[in-house]
Amino acid sequence: ETGKISHAAQMVGMSRSSAHRLRDRLAGTGFDRSWASALALHAARRADPILAGGRGVITLPLPDGSGFVFSQSSERGEAQPLMLYTFKDAKITPLNIVTLAEKCASAPDSKNIYCGVPTGTIRIPSPDEWYRGAVSFSDSIATIDLSAGSTRVLLENGPDLDVVSPFTSADERFLFFQDKKTGALWRLTL
């Protein structure tokens, strides 16, 4: 039930090491197979898919541990809207932009995320073409308030940037990121 051998051994009046020795002596028997099945059953209960069937899934964990933002593609490779997954209620909430989670950074308090958002259509298959370097994007930069779900554009029609590796300063006054096309490091005042 707990997946702990010491707990199971104690229930039958044995030590953990005695239980292991018994299993070694009975290798290949029904006892050994039952032991392996019990461990596999426990492992199966501990791990279960939460985003099965998605393609090109990219995650951005939130610093406060409340959940993560993710992007994914359809079966045809079309980029889908960014999504928020919250651990508390296992809820998935669509956000109002289509981008790759790798182009996003969370504020230290996890209330806002900042993203490079490709202008135009993201080519199929996404994100494969971008990772291979076959395409590059011209991004605007937007912020999303995760509690309200509202989006605000911070920079558009500016320099031709393909945002990667973004992060915010601890005081959330600046967004730093690299331009994938040139390798230059940028700072945007928030």
Side-chain angles (χ1 to χ4, degrees), residues 13 15 28 32 38 40 47 58 77-79 83 91 95 99 101 105 121 135-136 139 150 153 166 169 190:
S15 70
D32 182 41
I58 304 168
E78 300 161 317
M83 303 281 205
K91 183 178 174 185
L95 303 173
T99 190
T121 305
V135 298
S136 62
D139 293 335
S150 59
V153 176
S169 58
L190 299 173

Side-chain angles (χ1 to χ4, degrees), residues 39-72:
L39 289 177
L41 179 63
H42 178 72
R45 275 193 237 146
R46 292 179 46 203
D48 56 299
I50 58 172
L51 297 174
R55 297 181 187 271
V57 175
I58 304 168
T59 60
L60 171 70
L62 297 175
D64 68 358
S66 63
F68 59 90
V69 172
F70 69 95
S71 57
Q72 65 181 342

Side-chain angles (χ1 to χ4, degrees), residues 129-130 133-138 162 180-181:
E129 294 291 297
W130 183 70
V135 298
S136 62
F137 300 129
S138 293
D162 191 353
K180 186 177 179 201
K181 296 173 192 172

